Amino acid sequence: MSQPTVAVLRPDDSRIVEAVEYLQSLDVSPIPDPMLAITPTGQVPQHADYCIFTSETGVDIAATAGWKQRGTTVCAVGDQTATALCNRGYSVDIVPSTFTSTGLVDELSTEVEGQTVELARSAHGSEVLVEGLEAAGGIVSETALYRLERPETAGQSVSLAVDGKLDGILFTSPKTIEHFVQIATERDAVAALQRELEETIVGAIGAPTKRAVDKHGIAVDVMPDTVGFTQLAEVTVRRILDTHQ
């Protein structure tokens, strides 16, 4: 059989390049269609007893801006965020066993009463962390380090999906599916998209992304146990190959 065609919607930076290279190593034909452009806000995390980072992007922006740990207990949602922190010279004190906002709330709920807690993340974060940590008695503040915007060039994957020309598609965050469906809506092609994606292997990273995909009437076929792109790519490609046997 010819190489399967897999669309990947990672942010418009080194991650899309790395994703393409990794998919090529799995003997598939990647369709890079960045659905996110990172726009820093220029803000820096405030000093607090606890500081929570939820993405590699937030870590890179904070480090570039010169943020100092200064005794702060640093928390990372996920191994990749923790690795990014360590690579930037920060010590990571807490990584929840469940790589979700709810998992981190559970981890910190007995520690943060009366403590200041800073959330250093995108401008589009859910309220789960804020509400959960405040309910546990934390004094929560939030710094939006960056915005996630839709690149003007985005949309090739939508066209290919509507035409039934994708074997697989990889959604890596709720914002990627939001922008993907926005484009389909602007083209009056949502019904066709939903229909054709029934024959496409749809992969999603993490429960929040899966919920966002489900919300738009698209079934998720693959969600890896761990939150990482390589795992998502591997299990999705494996499912595609199994389907074509």
Side-chain angles (χ1 to χ4, degrees):
M1 78 181 248
S2 59
Q3 286 189 330
T5 301
V6 179
V8 55
L9 315 182
R10 299 230 75 187
D12 190 15
D13 54 25
S14 62
R15 281 171 286 186
I16 195 73
V17 176
E18 293 166 0
V20 166
E21 291 174 351
Y22 192 73
L23 286 168
Q24 288 172 334
S25 77
L26 298 177
D27 293 325
V28 303
S29 178
I31 304 295
D33 191 14
M35 286 285 161
L36 299 176
I38 310 298
T39 304
T41 63
Q43 298 188 59
V44 181
Q46 302 176 54
H47 184 68
D49 298 314
Y50 290 77
C51 187
I52 297 171
F53 290 93
T54 61
S55 70
E56 297 171 69
T57 301
V59 172
D60 290 341
I61 290 173
T64 300
W67 182 74
K68 305 296 183 185
Q69 189 166 3
R70 292 187 301 172
T72 295
T73 299
V74 170
C75 312
V77 178
D79 281 341
Q80 290 181 306
T81 304
T83 299
L85 283 159
C86 292
N87 289 342
R88 288 288 197 163
Y90 301 112
S91 62
V92 179
D93 303 290
I94 297 173
V95 181
S97 53
T98 302
F99 294 167
T100 63
S101 296
T102 302
L104 185 57
V105 169
D106 291 342
E107 198 93 8
L108 294 178
S109 60
T110 60
E111 297 186 24
V112 297
E113 184 173 2
Q115 302 291 299
T116 55
V117 183
E118 167 75 346
L119 304 183
R121 58 182 184 172
S122 83
H124 314 282
S126 76
E127 291 301 305
V128 172
L129 275 174
V130 176
E131 294 171 356
L133 293 170
E134 287 182 341
I139 304 164
V140 182
S141 60
E142 184 173 3
T143 298
L145 299 178
Y146 59 98
R147 294 185 299 275
L148 300 170
E149 300 178 342
R150 193 179 97 194
E152 293 182 3
T153 56
Q156 181 186 13
S157 61
V158 177
S159 299
L160 291 173
V162 169
D163 291 340
K165 294 181 178 178
L166 291 181
D167 295 297
I169 186 165
L170 306 176
F171 293 109
T172 55
S173 72
K175 208 68 177 174
T176 59
I177 177 64
E178 180 181 320
H179 289 167
F180 182 79
V181 174
Q182 277 180 0
I183 294 169
T185 302
E186 291 163 6
R187 297 177 181 178
D188 195 25
V190 173
L193 180 71
Q194 292 168 331
R195 182 173 60 251
E196 292 298 336
L197 285 181
E198 292 177 4
E199 306 300 322
T200 302
I201 302 301
V202 177
I205 284 182
T209 303
K210 182 183 184 300
R211 286 194 296 271
V213 177
D214 290 341
K215 184 180 74 173
H216 292 290
I218 298 168
V220 172
D221 301 293
V222 173
M223 188 181 75
D225 295 332
T226 55
V227 182
F229 177 77
T230 57
Q231 292 87 347
L232 175 67
E234 288 170 5
V235 295
T236 302
V237 170
R238 192 178 308 129
R239 178 70 67 85
I240 292 169
L241 296 176
D242 289 344
T243 302
H244 283 80
Q245 284 183 350

